[in-house]
Amino acid sequence: MMESLILTVSQVNRYVKSLLDGDRKLAEVLIRGEISNYSDHYRSGHAYFTLKDEGSSIRAAFFRSYRERLPFRPQDGMGVIIRGQVSLYERDGAYQLYVWDMQPDGVGALHLAYEQLKKRLAEEGLFDPAAKKPLPPFPETIGVITSPTGAVIQDICNVIGRRYPCAGLRLYPASVQGSQAAGELRAALRQADRDGCDLLILARGGGSLEDLWPFNDEGLAREIFAARTPIISAVGHETDFTIADFAADLRAPTPSAAAELAVPDGESLRLTVQGLQNAAAYGIGQRLAAEEQRLERLSLERKERMESLLERREQSLALLRDRAAAAGSALLEPKEKRLAIAAGKLSALNPMGVLARGYTVTMGEKGICLAAGELAQGEEIVTLFRDGRVRSKVTEIQTDGGIQEGQLKL
């Protein structure tokens, strides 16, 4: 064996690598296969996996600079079409596929990314109906996050101005299409939430999946979920669904429909209030009439009760009077008899009574004379009769021991 033919392992690998790199057919290839053993290296950002079919497999490297541009997440078992270069990894002496781009086999990359993100956020609870915030029934300030130049903001202003003109609108301008749109939408939503609006509307008109893609941004969905303010999402047409629609508290099929859902119908409110006023007036009138009838009935019942009570009281009072009269009669009758006896005795002792029976009373200078010996001859005396008095002088005094019966004569 000639010494000049002896090669090192590195030389062999380098030579094989040069052969592979120099083959135009391998410099850019499209390969269909199934992903297996997919592994993300979060520190470096690179990904490694095996691409296989029914009979063979090949190692693949997906460097960070290319992988970050991928809108979806590769997974084991996923059928893909890969664009890249076949080369040799010199250190291990293994040839492998260096991936530049990847497309799902049979489905669009954006659609797959959409479905993946939707499933993952749903599992995290970002779409949970229990976490949805109720919309205020009568919002005073409504923030609208959309393009300031599109027809969307005009449609929303027209609908709200017609239905509920007392609500104030604040526009938070943001791009709704393009690579910068997702970041601007997130920033506008944060600002609107800080400003204390009663309700927010996130809106844009219709478009393709690519046009609506900023509203499928994961960061925007998390901002919507974390916001304190209730949010209505109205992106695209009625058949368009975005991740923002699922994360919002309410989805509207169109921006105009979002405006109608955001505020009550003023005319309907006016008619409702008028109906309530009429019902209240009728109810109050009915209640007053019923209370007047009740008061009249109570007054009549009270009058009847008072009359009945007074009648019973009068009967009781008459009975008490009768009892008092009977008791007084029973008490006074013996008293009256005693009084009559005493009156008779007093009448007998009354000098006027004696005079009425024909007797007289003689009064001398010393007063009433009870005996003839109390007078002196020639003394003036006054004799009292029942109808008057007589003055005279004593001419004769006889004291013969009193007047006997039958001797009353001169």
Side-chain angles (χ1 to χ4, degrees):
M1 181 179 296
M2 296 180 63
E3 185 71 23
S4 61
L5 296 178
I6 299 175
L7 301 174
T8 64
V9 174
S10 297
Q11 289 173 330
V12 173
N13 286 349
R14 189 176 301 113
Y15 177 72
V16 174
K17 176 177 171 58
S18 67
L19 292 177
L20 294 176
D21 291 346
D23 190 331
R24 293 183 177 181
K25 293 182 178 179
L26 300 179
E28 182 174 352
V29 296
L30 293 174
I31 304 178
R32 175 183 283 117
E34 179 182 310
I35 295 176
S36 176
N37 298 321
Y38 187 86
S39 174
D40 274 323
H41 288 258
Y42 292 104
R43 182 171 299 177
S44 65
H46 308 322
Y48 302 93
F49 60 94
T50 299
L51 187 69
K52 65 179 183 178
D53 57 17
E54 294 82 356
S56 300
S57 64
I58 182 174
R59 294 289 300 169
F62 200 1
F63 293 140
R64 177 178 180 178
S65 58
Y66 295 109
R67 190 180 67 84
E68 287 181 340
R69 295 200 294 263
L70 200 66
F72 63 94
R73 291 188 175 186
Q75 296 175 345
D76 287 347
M78 182 183 295
V80 293
I81 297 175
I82 292 176
R83 183 173 67 89
Q85 177 187 8
V86 177
S87 184
L88 184 80
Y89 184 42
E90 290 187 40
R91 193 195 70 177
D92 295 342
Y95 92 98
Q96 61 185 13
L97 175 64
Y98 291 90
V99 180
W100 299 341
D101 191 19
M102 181 186 299
Q103 294 291 330
D105 189 9
V107 64
L110 292 182
H111 179 73
L112 178 61
Y114 168 84
E115 293 295 337
Q116 288 180 337
L117 180 60
K118 177 183 173 183
K119 179 181 178 182
R120 182 159 53 84
L121 295 183
E123 291 173 350
E124 291 185 28
L126 266 70
F127 307 154
D128 187 356
K132 305 296 184 184
K133 297 177 285 295
L135 304 186
F138 306 105
E140 296 182 5
T141 304
I142 301 174
V144 182
I145 304 169
T146 190
S147 170
T149 59
V152 168
I153 185 61
Q154 296 300 325
D155 292 341
I156 292 175
C157 289
N158 291 337
V159 171
I160 292 180
R162 169 176 51 84
R163 287 174 58 87
Y164 197 65
C166 59
L169 291 180
R170 292 182 184 175
L171 173 63
Y172 293 88
S175 299
V176 294
Q177 185 174 332
S179 59
Q180 304 298 321
E184 292 184 16
L185 289 170
R186 292 194 299 268
L189 192 150
R190 285 194 297 269
Q191 183 61 51
D193 191 40
R194 286 195 297 266
D195 287 348
C197 295
D198 299 312
L199 180 66
L200 300 179
I201 298 177
L202 179 66
R204 71 147 285 162
S208 65
L209 179 60
E210 290 78 7
D211 293 338
L212 303 181
W213 193 250
F215 294 87
N216 292 321
D217 179 70
E218 179 178 350
L220 179 61
R222 296 189 182 279
E223 292 285 354
I224 293 172
F225 182 78
R228 297 171 300 176
T229 311
I231 298 174
I232 300 176
S233 176
V235 180
H237 299 303
E238 188 169 355
T239 57
D240 296 322
F241 284 86
T242 65
I243 298 298
D245 292 332
F246 295 107
D249 300 294
L250 181 66
R251 175 194 179 261
T254 64
S256 296
E260 292 188 358
L261 293 171
V263 296
D265 183 4
E267 179 63 18
S268 177
L269 283 177
R270 188 188 67 79
L271 294 176
T272 299
V273 170
Q274 183 177 350
L276 291 174
Q277 288 176 337
N278 294 338
Y282 176 78
I284 292 173
Q286 292 293 102
R287 181 64 181 271
L288 286 175
E291 291 299 324
E292 287 176 355
Q293 293 178 357
R294 179 171 173 268
L295 180 60
E296 184 177 353
R297 185 177 65 255
L298 291 175
S299 299
L300 182 59
E301 292 176 355
R302 185 175 182 84
K303 180 181 178 181
E304 292 176 351
R305 287 198 302 270
M306 291 300 296
E307 290 177 351
S308 176
L309 179 62
L310 287 174
E311 185 177 354
R312 291 196 301 272
R313 291 287 190 268
E314 289 176 354
Q315 291 176 356
S316 299
L317 184 58
L319 180 60
L320 290 174
R321 282 200 300 264
D322 293 342
R323 289 179 179 177
S329 298
L331 181 64
L332 290 176
E333 185 175 354
K335 303 284 186 185
E336 289 176 349
K337 290 181 179 180
R338 292 172 57 190
L339 182 59
I341 294 172
K345 292 180 178 180
L346 288 174
S347 179
L349 297 175
N350 186 358
M352 299 306 294
V354 176
L355 296 177
R357 292 197 300 273
Y359 295 93
T360 62
V361 177
T362 300
M363 300 179 61
E365 294 177 355
K366 297 179 180 180
I368 295 175
C369 296
L370 299 179
E374 295 179 359
L375 297 174
Q377 192 171 352
E379 182 179 351
E380 286 188 2
I381 61 175
V382 176
T383 303
L384 301 177
F385 294 88
R386 67 178 180 181
D387 59 350
R389 61 181 64 191
V390 175
R391 291 182 178 275
S392 58
K393 284 186 179 183
V394 179
T395 60
E396 181 181 356
I397 298 175
Q398 294 181 359
T399 55
D400 51 3
I403 298 176
Q404 300 297 324
E405 186 177 355
Q407 294 179 347
L408 291 174
K409 59 183 178 179
L410 297 175

